[in-house]
């Protein structure tokens, strides 16, 4: 700024550099100390860092696979099978929870007292209890107490319930998969319902009145006027709910559905490779997060543009 | 010797926002006790210019000296200068989470290290001076715009500055409240405070200012006594500007 | 009277043919459900499992002779909650009560200081008979883990949020890196890191209690979310507030402490309550890493031979416990939110 130079320690640029330098040094120190500890601890345990174990024989069985898999396959194959199982439940979950969530959210604003309050009770129950507990409930209290295969309960012959899971139009879903899917769907949907309700309510009352004054039917006003505006408010928090669902799918381990986390955890138990396995898990979920964020950003972009 | 009379000395001040050249080598000298009114169309850089005086904006070339202290990257100088220079903003910018009293005592307590009792005494004095004494325990949100702006003036005065900067102090006010704020400012001028004021209030400028300056696209266009400025401007640009606002 | 009821019915349940249809359908479903549920509750369910194990659910295997210590802890927490609540509620009338006004600056430190006090009462030592953390189970452990974790992650979250919004490039990127990595990971993974990997990263001599590792995991996790919540508050403060404070000659640290944070934190209280509710539910995951909190306790009770298969009873009861806490807090948070808007 000026040509007279103040002493170094009174120049704020100097401090900015010093503080950042200190942060970097601290970070490096911490990493080095932790790394040294890790090295020493691993040596004591007789474990060597490295990803070679991925080529070894997994020698454990996986209950549910889409890819063909045998215990003689490698860990890589096992993890891949787990990854696909994760994706399967996450994608199906996101799809279902969107439907249930939007339905419940709109029901919260219904002019039918009964519908409104059923939705309210649903939202308040599912939002305010732990997902893990809900999963246990679905799995142990619901699925395990269903009739066994010979005496399936069925709804209109389309969906059949039994201890062996759900049979829908000839497709068979294991009780573990069904539990996880239902659990994730209904838990996440209770949050989405509130987001949808908030989004719709955020649209100014004048918009309804303007729609009505044009002679539009309520359903049309909802579809043409209110929802497009509500989406602007809905999409960003919806993204974080999808992310939550994807991350929560890791609770599969609690009920024995072989998702990526479950398989990775088994891998760790057999090989003791904690750091490597954790890095793989981190990589997987960060990739999930990035993909979902990317797709939702695209959606958000189109939704926001509609405004102008 | 010059330093005795000249309290603000800005020489050849340049500032860029990225590629945009906001201040194009502005020179300004303000004497002690002088009241200078800066006028100009919006975007002419007048707010930016006075905000360089207390380092709310930095500048890339030239020099600014305030009461003999050079404004630079020197942290201590910046702090010293901010204590010498009070500022009043267009949007008042009172702290909404503090009472009126605490708004005024905040800086004296934390910067001048005054005791709470002393600071309160000082604040009460100032609030009385701007006519808000009975509202001292309310929160800013409970006051009208004019009252808030008067509190903002008291808050700035609490640091006992040698210079007061006003950045369009009446532009955000309802018309009926402009007067109460201008009255406070007039009193301040009468008491001999050095003031640099960005405003569009022509009547006020005529009555109070020692000097009126027109600024346009980052340069000073004309500087004259209010008499000459409003009745016999020399520059074509000034005439045009006056025809737009009068 | 009857007429009013009839018009209410018409207006709210039968105002069009499809609403009437919906109403009847819903009624049928509800009646069916309630009939089955009531029948199950009264006739089929065996609630002895809850009755017999009630102390286990609530306080775990904490020695009965030391229950008085738990009562004191409960007293301290209740006191803190009442004080905190009254501070926020009285802010409705902007001129605050003098006494409560005095309390405000002490609030956060009191919460922080009460943490070691509570731990002392629970764990003993220094004159009290020490009680192993293995005996801290059930609901009390759930609450304890949630409260301690949120209290620790509060100041850390604020620092991280300040780092995230700092104009110092490296500090900002470190903060972003931490926040985004943690938020990208499932909690179970973070608890795994804390349980299994933390000991690997620490010197061999340093053996951390399982409970401490659990808290470490929750804090690692919760801090990142806290930082994002606080950042929302920081960004809601207009730049002019900072300029006004600077123009008064306040140095940057004071600007943050006196002007920015008080406003920012007030704005994010509802979000933080929401986060606490989430954390309370998330403590259930500790049962997967070997801690016997409420969910873990329910599983070990279900393993008792005489109560095998009483899943529904146990999970419904435990769910109810969680629900009471979460729901009452969400009500409180909504009330606060309304108050902050007005």
């Amino acid at each position: 700024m000026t040509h007279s130079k103040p002493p170094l320690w009174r120049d704020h640029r100097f401090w900015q550099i010093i503080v950042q330098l200190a942060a970097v040094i601290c970070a490096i120190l911490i990493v080095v100390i932790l790394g040294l500890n890790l090295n020493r601890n691993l040596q004591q345990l007789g474990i060597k860092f490295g990803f070679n174990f991925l080529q070894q024989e997994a020698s454990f069985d996986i209950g549910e696979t889409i890819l063909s898999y045998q215990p003689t396959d490698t860990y890589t194959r096992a993890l891949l099978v787990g990854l696909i199982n994760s994706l399967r439940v996450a994608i199906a979950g996101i799809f279902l929870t969107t439907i249930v969530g939007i339905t419940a959210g709109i029901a919260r604003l219904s002019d039918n007292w009964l519908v409104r309050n059923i939705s309210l009770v649903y939202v308040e129950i599912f939002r305010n209890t732990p997902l893990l507990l809900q999963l246990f409930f679905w799995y142990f209290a619901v699925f395990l107490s269903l009739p066994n295969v010979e005496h399936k309960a069925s709804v209109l012959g389309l969906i059949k319930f039994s201890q062996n899971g759900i049979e829908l139009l000839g497709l068979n879903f294991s009780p573990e998969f069904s539990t996880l899917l239902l659990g994730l769907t209904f838990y996440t949907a209770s949050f989405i319902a509130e987001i949808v309700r908030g989004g719709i309510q955020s649209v100014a009352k004048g918009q309804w009145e303007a729609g009505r004054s044009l002679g539009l039917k309520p359903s049309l006003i909802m579809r043409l006027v209110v929802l497009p505006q509500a989406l602007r408010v809905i999409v960003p928090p919806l993204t974080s709910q999808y992310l939550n669902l994807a991350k929560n799918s890791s609770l599969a381990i609690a009920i024995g559905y072989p998702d990526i986390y479950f398989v990775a955890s088994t891998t760790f138990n057999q090989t003791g490779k904690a750091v490597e396995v954790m890095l793989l898990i981190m990589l997987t979920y960060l990739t999930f997060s990035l993909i979902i964020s990317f797709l939702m950003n695209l959606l958000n972009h189109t939704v926001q543009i509609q405004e102008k | 010797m010059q330093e005795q009379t000249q309290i603000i000395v800005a020489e050849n001040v340049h500032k860029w926002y990225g590629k945009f050249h906001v201040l194009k080598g502005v020179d300004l000298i303000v004497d002690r006790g002088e009241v200078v009114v800066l006028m100009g169309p919006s975007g002419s850089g007048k707010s930016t210019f006075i905000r360089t005086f207390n380092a709310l904006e930095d500048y890339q070339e030239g020099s600014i000296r305030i009461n003999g202290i050079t404004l630079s990257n020197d942290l201590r100088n910046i702090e010293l200068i901010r204590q010498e220079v009070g500022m009043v903003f267009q949007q008042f910018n009172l702290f909404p989470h503090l009472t009126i009293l605490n708004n005024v005592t905040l800086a004296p307590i934390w910067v001048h290290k005054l005791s709470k009792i002393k600071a309160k005494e000082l604040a009460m004095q100032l609030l009385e001076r701007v006519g808000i004494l009975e509202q001292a325990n309310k929160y800013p949100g409970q006051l009208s715009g004019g009252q808030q702006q008067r509190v903002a003036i008291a808050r700035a005065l609490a640091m006992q500055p040698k210079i007061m900067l006003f950045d369009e102090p009446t532009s955000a006010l309802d018309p009926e409240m402009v007067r109460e704020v201008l009255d406070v400012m007039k009193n301040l001028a009468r008491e001999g405070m050095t003031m640099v004021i960005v405003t569009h209030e022509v009547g006020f400028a005529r009555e109070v200012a020692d000097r009126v300056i027109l600024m346009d696209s980052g340069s000073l266009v004309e500087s004259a006594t209010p008499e000459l400025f409003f009745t016999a401007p020399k520059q074509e640009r000034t005439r045009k500007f006056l025809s737009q606002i009068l | 009277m009857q007429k009013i009821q009839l018009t209410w019915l018409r207006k709210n349940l039968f105002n069009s043919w499809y609403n009437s249809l919906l109403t009847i359908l819903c009624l049928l479903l509800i009646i069916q459900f309630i009939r089955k549920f009531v029948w199950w509750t009264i006739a089929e369910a065996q609630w002895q499992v809850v009755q017999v194990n009630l102390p286990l659910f609530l306080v775990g295997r904490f020695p009965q002779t030391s229950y008085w210590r738990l009562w004191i802890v409960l007293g301290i927490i209740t006191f803190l909650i009442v004080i905190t609540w009254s501070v926020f509620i009285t802010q409705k009338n902007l001129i605050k009560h003098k006494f409560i006004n005095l309390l405000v600056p002490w609030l956060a430190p009191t919460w922080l200081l009460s943490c070691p006090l509570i731990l002392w009462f629970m764990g003993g030592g220094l004159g009290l008979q020490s009680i192993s953390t293995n005996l801290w189970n059930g609901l009390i452990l759930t609450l304890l883990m949630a409260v301690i974790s949120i209290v620790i992650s509060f100041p850390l979250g604020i620092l991280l949020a300040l780092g995230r919004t700092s104009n110092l490039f490296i500090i900002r990127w470190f903060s972003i890196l931490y926040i985004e990595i943690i938020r990208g990971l499932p909690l179970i993974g973070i608890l795994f890191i804390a349980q299994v990997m933390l000991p690997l990263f620490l010197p061999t001599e340093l053996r951390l209690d399982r409970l401490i590792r659990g808290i470490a995991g929750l804090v690692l996790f919760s801090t990142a979310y806290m930082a994002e919540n606080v950042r929302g508050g920081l960004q809601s403060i207009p730049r002019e507030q900072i300029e006004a404070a600077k123009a008064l000659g306040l140095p940057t640290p004071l600007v943050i402490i006196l002007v920015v944070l008080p406003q920012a934190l007030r704005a994010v209280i509802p979000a933080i309550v929401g986060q606490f509710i989430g954390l309370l539910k998330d403590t259930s995951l500790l049962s997967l890493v070997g801690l016997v909190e409420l969910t873990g306790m329910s599983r070990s009770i279900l393993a008792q031979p005489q109560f095998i298969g009483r899943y529904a009873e146990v999970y419904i009861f435990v769910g109810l416990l969680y629900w009471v806490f979460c729901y009452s807090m969400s009500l409180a948070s909504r009330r606060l939110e309304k108050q902050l808007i007005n």
Side-chain angles (χ1 to χ4, degrees):
Chain A
M1 267 158 84
T2 51
H3 313 294
S4 71
K5 275 221 171 101
L8 208 52
W9 65 90
R10 269 164 38 192
D11 189 323
H12 68 96
R13 289 169 304 186
F14 169 73
W15 283 109
Q16 286 187 345
I17 293 168
I18 286 296
V19 168
Q20 307 210 54
L21 216 62
V24 172
I25 292 171
C26 271
I28 291 174
L29 268 180
I30 291 175
V31 169
V32 166
I33 291 175
L34 292 184
L36 286 176
N37 282 333
L38 178 67
N39 203 10
R40 202 157 53 112
N41 283 322
L42 287 183
Q43 257 174 6
Q44 273 179 3
L45 293 171
I47 304 170
K48 268 212 178 106
F49 183 83
F51 287 91
N52 290 335
F53 72 95
L54 287 175
Q55 304 311 320
Q56 292 165 9
E57 189 180 295
S59 67
F60 58 83
D61 203 5
I62 295 179
E64 206 172 340
T65 61
I66 298 228
L67 293 176
S68 71
Y69 171 84
Q70 281 113 33
T72 48
D73 282 330
T74 58
Y75 282 115
T76 315
R77 183 86 179 171
L79 288 166
L80 193 64
V81 168
L83 180 65
I84 295 208
N85 279 339
S86 279
L87 287 175
R88 194 158 71 111
V89 80
I91 291 169
I94 285 175
F95 178 72
L96 278 181
T97 202
T98 310
I99 296 174
V100 177
I102 290 178
T103 311
I106 292 176
R108 285 279 272 118
L109 299 168
S110 160
D111 51 4
N112 187 317
W113 183 89
L114 209 54
V115 171
R116 209 160 59 221
N117 281 285
I118 288 176
S119 178
L120 175 73
V121 169
Y122 156 69
V123 167
E124 294 298 358
I125 288 178
F126 279 77
R127 250 179 12 145
N128 288 311
T129 46
L131 171 59
L132 183 63
L133 196 72
Q134 290 178 29
L135 289 177
F136 284 147
F137 184 82
W138 288 110
Y139 191 66
F140 293 109
V142 177
F143 272 101
L144 289 191
S145 62
L146 282 175
N148 57 21
V149 199
E150 287 87 52
H151 311 89
K152 289 178 193 174
S154 90
V155 180
L156 307 171
L158 292 174
I159 313 178
K160 295 178 182 142
F161 299 96
S162 76
Q163 279 187 357
N164 279 28
I166 297 179
E167 195 187 317
L168 174 68
L169 305 168
L171 285 171
N172 227 328
F173 300 105
S174 74
E176 289 79 22
F177 177 82
S178 314
T179 300
L180 192 59
L181 185 60
L182 286 179
L184 289 173
T185 297
F186 284 111
Y187 181 75
T188 315
S190 68
F191 290 89
I192 293 179
E194 284 300 281
I195 292 169
V196 169
R197 180 182 68 97
I200 293 173
Q201 280 180 334
S202 76
V203 178
K205 260 195 178 154
Q207 296 288 318
W208 283 97
E209 282 156 15
R212 233 171 280 137
S213 71
L214 289 174
L216 292 170
K217 275 187 289 183
S219 58
L220 272 182
I221 301 175
M222 186 68 151
R223 221 179 64 210
L224 299 176
V225 182
V226 176
L227 267 185
Q229 296 185 57
L231 275 179
R232 281 186 295 130
V233 183
I234 290 173
V235 169
L238 193 61
T239 307
S240 65
Q241 287 309 322
Y242 288 168
L243 290 172
N244 282 343
L245 188 141
K247 286 185 282 172
N248 283 334
S249 70
S250 61
L251 291 182
I253 194 171
I255 46 164
Y257 174 72
D259 76 327
I260 177 77
Y261 187 83
F262 186 25
V263 174
S265 177
T266 314
T267 305
F268 159 70
N269 284 336
Q270 293 195 0
T271 61
K273 302 267 185 188
V275 184
E276 295 86 338
V277 166
M278 204 56 229
L279 284 175
L280 284 176
I281 291 177
M282 280 167 90
L283 196 70
T284 312
Y285 283 99
L286 290 180
T287 315
F288 280 1
S289 298
L290 283 178
I291 292 172
I292 293 176
S293 298
F294 175 73
L295 291 177
M296 291 304 280
N297 266 341
L298 286 184
L299 177 63
N300 199 20
H301 200 65
T302 50
V303 169
Q304 304 292 353
I305 277 174
Q306 276 181 1
E307 187 196 7
K308 299 218 164 150
Chain B
M1 217 54 220
Q2 268 186 347
E3 296 293 349
Q4 299 282 315
T5 53
Q6 301 180 345
I7 194 162
I8 301 176
V9 182
E11 283 170 342
N12 193 29
V13 177
H14 283 271
K15 179 179 174 65
W16 286 266
Y17 277 128
K19 280 197 175 158
F20 181 52
H21 202 171
V22 202
L23 300 176
K24 300 171 182 164
V26 189
D27 294 295
L28 178 70
I29 292 176
V30 179
D31 287 339
R32 254 171 232 283
E34 197 180 6
V35 176
V36 175
V37 166
L38 269 177
M39 295 189 138
S42 63
S44 59
K46 50 196 193 311
S47 285
T48 310
F49 184 46
I50 69 164
R51 284 156 58 92
T52 57
F53 295 172
N54 62 350
L56 286 185
E57 304 277 353
D58 58 358
Y59 57 99
Q60 280 84 37
E61 272 176 38
S63 80
I64 296 178
R65 273 203 316 280
I66 307 283
N67 201 24
I69 309 166
T70 304
L71 199 55
S72 64
N73 277 316
D74 190 335
L75 279 176
R76 202 183 61 180
N77 283 3
I78 290 178
E79 277 173 25
L80 284 178
I81 283 171
R82 281 181 177 157
Q83 293 176 33
E84 310 257 312
V85 181
M87 186 165 210
V88 175
F89 300 85
Q90 182 176 354
Q91 295 292 346
F92 335 132
N93 300 349
L94 294 180
F95 306 129
H97 62 298
L98 299 175
T99 60
I100 298 306
L101 181 65
N102 291 340
N103 261 280
V104 181
T105 59
L106 186 77
I109 289 175
W110 290 93
V111 180
H112 280 171
K113 313 283 185 214
L114 247 54
S115 70
K116 276 194 180 167
I117 302 166
K118 281 252 173 68
K120 191 178 169 186
E121 260 171 38
L122 172 72
M124 286 308 203
Q125 244 171 5
L126 289 168
L127 286 175
E128 189 170 14
R129 202 158 128 198
V130 299
I132 316 270
L133 192 57
E134 57 286 5
Q135 324 269 23
N137 288 317
K138 287 191 180 167
Y139 282 82
Q142 295 168 299
L143 267 55
S144 74
Q147 289 172 322
Q148 287 193 50
Q149 194 59 300
R150 284 186 280 153
V151 174
I153 294 174
R155 181 177 70 175
L157 288 175
M159 288 302 288
Q160 299 176 314
K162 303 209 170 58
I163 304 164
M164 285 285 282
L165 307 174
F166 293 84
D167 189 359
E168 306 206 20
T170 55
S171 303
L173 295 176
D174 292 334
E176 71 270 19
M177 290 168 185
V178 170
R179 206 198 165 79
E180 60 188 61
V181 172
L182 290 182
D183 283 343
V184 170
M185 289 166 64
K186 274 179 209 165
N187 283 333
L188 211 54
R190 221 167 282 143
E191 289 159 21
M193 175 67 78
T194 310
M195 294 161 75
V196 180
I197 304 162
V198 173
T199 185
H200 296 294
E201 297 288 336
V202 174
F204 173 80
R206 277 179 182 239
E207 191 185 335
V208 182
D210 297 310
R211 194 150 43 114
V212 182
I213 296 172
L214 181 74
M215 202 166 164
D216 190 25
S217 9
S219 315
L220 300 190
V221 177
E222 178 157 7
S223 168
T225 61
E227 201 45 40
L228 287 171
F229 185 91
F230 292 110
T231 52
K234 289 202 185 84
Q235 303 291 331
E236 178 55 34
R237 182 71 193 85
T238 313
R239 254 167 270 158
K240 203 176 147 211
F241 175 73
L242 289 176
S243 73
Q244 282 164 344
I245 62 163
L246 288 176
Chain C
M1 191 64 211
Q2 212 172 13
K3 201 169 174 190
I4 292 171
Q5 278 172 359
L6 272 179
T7 46
W8 184 89
L9 279 178
R10 267 194 77 163
K11 200 173 153 224
N12 290 291
L13 294 175
F14 301 100
N15 61 352
S16 61
W17 65 266
Y18 59 83
N19 254 339
S20 310
L21 198 72
L22 262 179
T23 304
I24 292 166
L25 214 72
C26 287
L27 270 179
L28 280 177
L29 276 172
I30 291 178
I31 290 171
Q32 190 81 344
F33 178 78
I34 289 182
R35 220 187 49 188
K36 275 202 172 152
F37 187 74
V38 168
W39 173 248
W40 177 84
T41 320
I42 297 170
E44 286 179 23
Q46 294 173 19
W47 295 104
Q48 300 100 293
V49 63
V50 173
Q51 235 169 4
V52 171
N53 293 305
L54 197 60
L56 275 182
F57 278 118
L58 299 182
V59 299
R61 289 171 295 147
F62 205 85
Q64 222 159 0
T65 48
S66 298
Y67 276 179
W68 60 272
R69 281 154 64 170
L70 295 180
W71 286 111
I72 292 180
V73 168
L74 188 70
I76 293 174
I77 293 177
T78 318
F79 174 74
L80 285 174
I81 290 174
V82 168
I83 291 287
T84 312
W85 181 244
S86 59
V87 164
F88 288 117
I89 276 314
T90 45
Q91 288 192 345
K92 179 166 54 184
N93 355 308
L94 283 163
I95 301 164
K96 280 174 274 177
H97 195 274
K98 259 239 171 81
F99 172 68
I100 284 176
N101 226 342
L102 278 176
L103 286 176
V104 174
W106 295 101
L107 218 51
T110 316
W111 273 98
L112 270 177
L113 282 178
S114 63
C115 270
L117 195 67
I118 289 171
L119 286 181
W120 177 56
F121 274 116
M122 290 200 57
L126 296 174
L128 279 178
Q129 182 208 342
S130 74
I131 294 171
S132 158
T133 53
N134 287 333
L135 304 179
W136 305 6
N137 316 117
L139 177 65
I140 191 139
L141 183 61
T142 292
L143 296 176
L144 195 75
M145 295 300 270
V147 170
I148 290 182
S149 306
I150 201 95
V151 169
I152 298 176
S153 62
F154 182 66
L156 294 179
I158 291 175
L159 286 180
L160 201 57
L162 289 173
R164 175 84 169 75
T165 49
S166 158
N167 52 15
L168 302 177
F169 176 81
I170 293 174
I171 305 269
R172 187 170 68 242
W173 276 98
F174 275 164
S175 310
I176 290 176
L177 202 66
Y178 176 83
I179 293 173
E180 292 308 327
I181 287 183
I182 294 288
R183 294 204 318 151
L185 282 176
L187 174 57
I188 176 77
I190 293 166
L191 289 176
F192 174 84
I193 293 180
Q195 288 295 340
V196 177
M197 293 177 57
L198 202 57
L200 289 180
F201 282 115
L202 294 176
T204 329
E205 307 79 52
L206 194 65
R207 280 272 149 258
L208 288 180
D209 189 279
R210 186 181 285 279
L211 212 72
I212 304 285
R213 280 179 280 159
I215 290 176
L218 288 179
V219 167
L220 276 177
F221 172 77
S222 182
T223 299
Y225 290 82
M226 182 67 81
E228 281 302 273
N229 280 334
V230 172
R231 182 169 72 108
L234 290 177
Q235 284 176 336
S236 73
I237 307 300
R239 212 169 51 108
E240 288 78 23
Q241 285 285 312
I242 298 165
E243 287 181 349
K246 281 190 172 168
L248 287 172
L250 290 167
T252 311
L254 283 183
V255 174
I256 290 169
I257 295 170
L258 298 173
V259 175
V260 178
L261 277 182
Q263 298 184 56
L265 292 182
R266 191 166 307 181
V268 297
I269 289 166
I272 292 176
V273 177
Q275 197 195 332
F276 182 70
I277 296 174
L279 194 65
L280 188 69
K281 288 185 292 173
D282 284 337
T283 54
S284 61
L285 268 65
L286 291 169
S287 67
L288 300 180
V289 291
L291 285 173
V292 194
E293 42 61 74
L294 189 51
T295 305
M297 184 49 87
S298 66
R299 296 179 80 192
S300 60
I301 285 171
L302 281 167
Q304 294 171 352
Q306 69 270 39
F307 296 122
I308 290 258
R310 312 277 25 126
Y311 297 110
E313 291 87 342
V314 168
Y315 288 138
I316 285 175
F317 173 70
V318 168
L320 194 70
L321 284 180
Y322 278 110
W323 185 85
V324 166
F325 281 96
C326 295
Y327 184 66
S328 49
M329 274 189 296
S330 83
L331 285 184
S333 142
R334 262 176 264 175
R335 182 145 172 226
L336 270 178
E337 208 163 349
K338 262 189 202 147
Q339 202 137 62
L340 289 172
I341 289 166
N342 294 337

